[in-house]
Amino acid sequence: MAATPRISRRTLLRGAGALGLAGTTGLAACGRPVDTSAQLPDVSGGDYDGPPITLQFWNGLTGGDGPVMRKLLAEFTAAHPAITVEMYAIPWSNFYQKFPAAVVSGLAPDLGLMHNFQVATNAARQVIVPLDPLAEALELTESDYLPVVWGSGLFQGERWSLPLDMWPDSLFYNRRVLADAGLDPDAPPTTGEEYLSALETLRSNDIQGHWLPAIDPQGVGRGFDSLLWQMGGELYDAEGGQALFGSEAGIRALEWQQGLIDAGYSPTDVSGSDGNVAFKNDQNAFIWGGPGALINDLAKVEDLDWDVAPLPRIGPNRAAFSGSHQFVLMRQREFDPDRISAVVTFLRWITDNSIGWASAGPVPARLPVLQQPEFAELEAQSHVAEGVEHIRFYPLVPGIAEVQTTILYPAIGDALLGQASPADALARATEQASFLLSENLTKYREVR
């Protein structure tokens, strides 16, 4: 079968941008429905053995993880000379606008990589397609993944994405700062009591040990998520129509964060980048954050003595926010069997070789990969992996990322900046979020 014509990246992105997706669904702004009649061809069989073919792969890997993925793509092409994978890295915020527009315009890439908390939204938009046949062809099984990771690609009874990795928020600690304060750098705190005790010792040595990014809602918000779950709370109800973070558990979580500032363990009015700079200059002991960015960032700093461990258990339960990069297949007006066969060949190779992706910082999603000797050699990633059994993901609700970033996280920042009490900030955010969630249930139902 003749291959679908490919176009240049400049033309493709210009066409996607011209469509100007507006609003949260995007598709309505284009004034054109997505054709959902095209069906995936048979994906059974072995590796692709057709003529030379080039796949387009879109993602948001514009940081230090981008070169790692490009290296893997080069290794894949060396092993499969007939398949070239052209990678277009677009900042994530632009990616989530441009690729649905490309689908509507008939200029969709072959596959993409997106965050797990965006999968349900784009499944509801029908700009990606179910992947159950691909998962079967790749012989991926539930036993190879943590239940929360395996389930993260399921929406309304179908699989819409394939997990590549997991990146739980973890405790990064400056060993030299701890040692200089008389603390054991080989025994980072594992409980709330140990954590506050370490912070008090650091304060007595004129070190503010935990710089809470109050003016960086994204950074402080994910810490709140972890604490909420540790306190026994939930972000939303099972249907995704009601926010629950204003509960007593949520208030306790936010009061704990506020207490770090009140006690002088954290400066006021700082950002996540402020905390990172202080950490690198031995002025800060602890950072809560994901391994994808921090591991490579900290490793570049000469003479910085640091390590990483799972988040301490502040509440009664162990829990940590985690995200995951997931492969998706973009909806096409017509699916070319050759292209789908090449995509399956690529996905089979990269899921089997995801140990190479671990060097970018994340922990591979497939549990057998974590047992490989090569993974044990990645010391920081191995320490992060010690806590993956307790990771939590956002629920599979369309529009959930928007609710988190535009309503909940700014409310947390307001409380930490002293503009509202934790209870008042969360109560207001709960009301606003529940209204938006209710609207989303209707909006995305209409899209489907």
Side-chain angles (χ1 to χ4, degrees):
M1 177 177 292
T4 303
R6 298 286 96 181
I7 61 176
S8 73
R9 176 178 185 269
R10 176 177 297 177
T11 301
L12 194 154
L13 294 184
R14 184 172 62 244
L19 287 166
L21 290 187
T24 54
T25 64
L27 300 179
C30 299
R32 299 168 59 186
V34 175
D35 182 359
T36 60
S37 61
Q39 299 296 315
L40 281 179
D42 180 21
V43 294
S44 60
D47 283 348
Y48 174 75
D49 59 359
I53 196 168
T54 298
L55 303 176
Q56 289 184 351
F57 173 35
W58 284 21
N59 55 58
L61 305 177
T62 58
D65 46 11
V68 177
M69 180 59 73
R70 293 185 189 280
K71 180 175 182 292
L72 290 174
L73 297 181
E75 293 176 4
F76 167 75
T77 298
H80 301 83
I83 306 174
T84 299
V85 182
E86 291 184 346
M87 173 173 142
Y88 302 129
I90 311 164
W92 285 115
S93 59
N94 294 336
F95 167 80
Y96 289 119
Q97 290 183 333
K98 290 182 181 297
F99 97 79
V103 170
V104 174
S105 67
L107 303 176
D110 297 285
L111 74 160
L113 194 69
M114 70 173 53
H115 300 107
N116 60 297
F117 42 80
Q118 295 281 0
V119 171
T121 301
N122 289 289
R125 292 173 173 173
Q126 293 287 330
V127 292
I128 57 177
V129 298
L131 299 183
D132 293 284
L134 268 68
E136 294 177 8
L138 295 171
E139 299 182 335
L140 301 179
T141 63
E142 185 173 0
S143 61
D144 283 345
Y145 300 86
L146 294 169
V148 67
V149 177
W150 179 254
S152 64
L154 298 174
F155 177 64
Q156 295 187 342
E158 294 181 289
R159 173 162 298 282
W160 296 83
S161 62
L162 300 175
L164 171 64
D165 59 26
M166 41 192 170
W167 22 278
D169 270 14
S170 302
L171 178 68
F172 290 80
Y173 56 97
N174 187 311
R175 291 171 47 84
R176 183 158 47 238
V177 170
L178 294 180
D180 288 347
L183 297 167
D184 187 351
D186 295 315
T190 60
T191 68
E193 293 78 8
E194 292 176 357
Y195 197 69
L196 293 178
S197 176
L199 290 175
E200 182 63 28
T201 299
L202 290 163
R203 187 179 65 170
S204 67
N205 284 267
D206 297 323
I207 292 290
Q208 291 178 297
H210 182 143
W211 286 36
L212 197 66
I215 61 173
D216 182 3
Q218 186 82 349
V220 76
R222 291 179 175 178
F224 169 84
D225 296 334
S226 297
L227 289 166
L228 169 73
W229 289 320
Q230 290 194 8
M231 300 296 181
E234 294 292 340
L235 289 165
Y236 308 98
D237 65 3
E239 292 74 30
Q242 179 68 36
L244 304 177
F245 44 70
S247 64
E248 185 61 33
I251 295 171
R252 289 200 306 272
L254 188 47
E255 287 178 341
W256 187 88
Q257 289 183 307
Q258 186 183 58
L260 298 183
I261 297 174
D262 294 343
Y265 301 145
S266 170
T268 59
D269 301 354
V270 295
S271 68
S273 60
D274 294 331
N276 286 7
V277 171
F279 188 92
K280 295 173 183 177
N281 286 282
D282 296 336
Q283 298 171 337
N284 180 14
F286 301 120
I287 297 177
W288 290 25
L294 281 173
I295 286 179
N296 284 317
D297 182 38
L298 299 179
K300 296 175 183 176
V301 182
E302 188 176 356
D303 296 329
L304 182 63
D305 189 7
W306 64 277
D307 207 337
V308 59
L311 287 184
R313 180 181 55 79
I314 306 300
N317 309 304
R318 288 196 63 185
F321 163 86
S322 179
S324 169
H325 292 110
Q326 311 236 341
F327 287 108
V328 295
L329 200 61
M330 301 342 192
R331 186 171 294 281
Q332 309 290 334
R333 292 183 177 176
E334 181 179 358
F335 287 101
D336 179 347
D338 278 353
R339 308 193 74 79
I340 296 301
S341 176
V343 166
V344 172
T345 300
F346 168 67
L347 292 175
R348 178 180 294 114
W349 183 89
I350 200 163
T351 53
D352 287 344
N353 293 275
S354 59
I355 185 65
W357 177 241
S359 64
V363 175
R366 295 187 71 181
L367 296 178
V369 177
L370 305 187
Q371 307 304 318
Q372 295 179 5
E374 295 90 342
F375 184 72
E377 295 174 2
L378 300 171
E379 185 174 349
Q381 288 87 333
S382 296
H383 291 172
V384 170
E386 293 172 4
V388 296
E389 292 185 4
H390 305 284
I391 63 174
R392 295 285 303 270
F393 285 167
Y394 295 151
L396 293 168
V397 176
I400 202 68
E402 178 189 16
V403 176
Q404 290 285 126
T405 58
T406 65
I407 296 178
L408 174 57
Y409 290 173
I412 293 168
D414 288 345
L416 297 179
L417 293 171
Q419 298 172 3
S421 70
D424 288 345
L426 291 176
R428 183 175 66 250
T430 297
E431 181 180 3
Q432 295 172 343
S434 295
F435 177 80
L436 181 55
L437 288 166
S438 178
E439 282 199 327
N440 281 347
L441 288 178
T442 301
K443 175 171 57 181
Y444 287 108
R445 188 180 298 118
E446 290 173 351
V447 173
R448 291 196 296 276

